[in-house]
Structure formats: structure tokens, C-alpha cells
Amino acid sequence: MTRVLCAGHVNWDVTLRVDSLPAPDGEAAITGQTHAGGGSASNTAVTMESLGVDSALLGSVGEDDYGRLAREELTAAGVDCSHLQRTIGETTVKYLVVDDRGEVMVLANDGVNESFRAADAPDSLLDSVDHVHLTSQRLETAEMLAERARDAGATVSFAPGRRLDERDYRSVAATADYLFLNEREAETAAEEGLLAAGDGVTVITRGEDGGEVRASSRRTHSGYDVEPVDTTGAGDAFAAGFLAAVLNGEDDDDALAVANAAGALAAKSIGARTHVSWADIEDLRE
């Protein structure tokens, strides 16, 4: 069975449903509230596991109730959490404010989600995986994990996320076989020289407008017409769908269609973690 290591953020999310996102000095009515796990690495691992890809997770949580809940939820989803570090401090909590169109505003504490290090992944773990998916994390951790993954013969993907404009990730992007970005991140990446840093494939999600693959040529997919409920984690599901398809032997065009389907299905449900089946994806594609 194909095995993937996802490395990066593991959070606990508090999602507040509101009638509208408030303007400065404004107010909105809370129409619902949920608590569940989040964080790009763990979100991706859960979706990949639901698509039949054996997934392990490298990250860090605090020795608190939120950390315990996150670990229990991930383990119940089938994710291998034996390398999820527990450290002194608070699990990162994100407060997600979601309006009735599915648009999201995020508030977060610092927490310990970047306390893990590349050394926390033993050689035996990297030798056992076919692919390493890196999400937002300390630069030095990402660089070392990418290098060690290459040495172990694994392919590498990278989804740098919102902190792309704060960290010089060019060396990691140059190592990656696949670079995942949203439209805003793609603009920043172009300005920072990340898109020219390596010879890999760049995959861009465009939300309701689908996605794009950039390699030797550009290919697009217009996506699927769904009514969004919560776009939190849709980009992580998009990356998980793409990687699951590629690792299953699909070409980049079919993988892009699968990615768009996974992202669309994620946007139809509340919360950052999405359980998707191949039957769900095929139904939407048809």
C-alpha cells in the first residue's frame, strides 16, 4: 500500500458560523458553533486516508485537552499518530469565522504546532514512505525533511500556505515535485521567485473557478458547481485528492479533476477535516 508522511500543522479549530463577516467596529450574529481538529498537515492526512492512502503524521500538539482531542480524532480517522509530538505548551487553537457564503476569517494563537523538528522523524519512518507532503512549518525543518525524503527515495510535495510571504521557502520549492498554492499564494510565489525555483509541477487552486497545473504547459479544469458551506480546509482536500490520484497512477490532468472534486466536496461540509470516498468523487465528476 502506498504510504505518505504529512508534516506540518496540527491545530484545534473552533468554528463560528455567522450571518456575515463583520466590518471593522461591526457586529455579527453567531448562528452556530463547532469544535474539531484542523491544521493543513492533519487535514491532508485525513482526506488521503479516506481515499485509501496509508498516512502518517509528523507534527506537534500540547499536553492539554485540545492536544488529546486532536490526537484521538486523527487516530479514529486511521492516521498514524505515532510521530505526533506532545510538548509542553498549548495546542494551537484557531477560531474560524464563517459566513453564509462559506467565506472564512481566521484568528489564531501561536501554540506549539511548529515545535516539532526534522529529527523527530526517524530514518525508519522516511524509509517506509513513498511520498512526503510538507505544509507550513519552520524553514529549517522543511528544508531538512525535503532533503532527507529525497535521500530516502521518496517524492516530495509542498503546500507553504499563508506564511509564504514571511519565509524564504525557495530551497524547499526547488526540491518539491509538486508545489500547491492558491491564487493569492501564486502571486506571492511569483514575486518571491518560487515558481522559477525548481523543475517540479505547480498546482494552483482557484476556488469555485477550479484549478490549474503548470509544468511544461498550462492545463486548467473549471471545477464543479456546488453550493459552498465552509471553505475551511478545501485547499488541503484539493492537495490530498491530487496526490492520491497521482500516487494511484493517474496523470496530472485526471489528478486535477480529482483534486477539484475533493475540494468541492470539502466546501460542502462544515469544518476543516474532510472524509471523501472515491465513489463521492466519481459521482461528482459524472
Side-chain angles (χ1 to χ4, degrees):
M1 178 182 288
T2 301
R3 182 168 164 81
V4 172
L5 172 65
C6 296
H9 291 176
V10 182
N11 307 329
W12 189 255
D13 289 351
V14 179
T15 301
L16 303 176
R17 301 279 304 174
V18 297
D19 56 355
S20 63
L21 294 179
D25 201 31
E27 183 174 326
I30 297 174
T31 59
Q33 179 174 323
T34 57
H35 293 246
S40 289
S42 50
N43 295 343
T44 306
V46 167
T47 302
M48 294 191 76
E49 189 72 38
S50 70
L51 290 172
V53 179
D54 189 15
S55 300
L57 182 63
L58 177 65
S60 45
V61 295
E63 293 184 330
D64 54 14
D65 287 341
Y66 288 138
R68 175 182 57 79
L69 289 168
R71 180 183 289 272
E72 289 176 353
E73 187 180 78
L74 288 161
T75 301
V79 176
D80 177 359
C81 292
S82 58
H83 300 283
L84 177 58
Q85 307 298 306
R86 283 178 285 191
T87 186
I88 296 173
E90 296 181 347
T91 299
T92 299
V93 178
K94 294 200 173 184
Y95 296 87
L96 309 165
V97 185
V98 184
D99 70 9
D100 56 8
R101 298 171 301 167
E103 297 296 323
V104 182
M105 180 174 67
V106 182
L107 308 172
N109 66 348
D110 285 339
V112 299
N113 64 3
E114 294 194 351
S115 294
F116 73 97
R117 295 290 186 270
D120 294 325
D123 290 340
S124 57
L125 173 61
L126 292 171
D127 288 340
S128 73
V129 302
D130 304 286
H131 184 84
V132 174
H133 179 63
L134 306 173
T135 68
S136 184
Q137 56 196 274
R138 294 175 185 270
L139 173 60
E140 59 271 24
T141 304
E143 287 178 328
M144 182 59 70
L145 283 172
E147 181 180 336
R148 292 181 61 200
R150 282 295 196 196
D151 290 344
T155 50
V156 176
S157 56
F158 183 38
R162 292 187 180 94
R163 294 189 179 180
L164 183 62
D165 57 352
E166 300 174 10
R167 295 171 173 173
D168 186 0
Y169 279 131
R170 279 175 292 184
S171 60
V172 186
T175 305
D177 297 281
Y178 293 95
L179 177 65
F180 290 96
L181 306 165
N182 63 26
E183 287 184 283
R184 181 190 63 79
E185 293 159 359
E187 292 176 0
T188 302
E191 294 169 0
E192 299 294 329
L194 267 75
L195 298 185
D199 298 325
V201 175
T202 299
V203 189
I204 301 172
T205 175
R206 301 192 181 282
E208 64 182 13
D209 295 324
E212 175 184 348
V213 170
R214 296 183 186 178
S216 56
S217 62
R218 292 189 180 189
R219 281 99 71 202
T220 61
H221 186 281
S222 58
Y224 300 94
D225 187 15
V226 299
E227 192 67 33
V229 175
D230 181 358
T231 57
T232 309
D236 302 324
F238 177 97
F242 190 97
L243 291 172
V246 167
L247 293 169
N248 201 37
E250 303 290 342
D251 62 26
D252 289 346
D253 290 328
D254 283 335
L256 182 59
V258 171
N260 276 320
L265 290 166
K268 290 176 61 177
S269 61
I270 296 174
R273 300 253 175 92
T274 305
H275 299 262
V276 177
S277 71
W278 284 109
D280 293 333
I281 287 175
E282 291 308 316
D283 285 347
L284 188 58
R285 292 183 67 182
E286 291 172 1

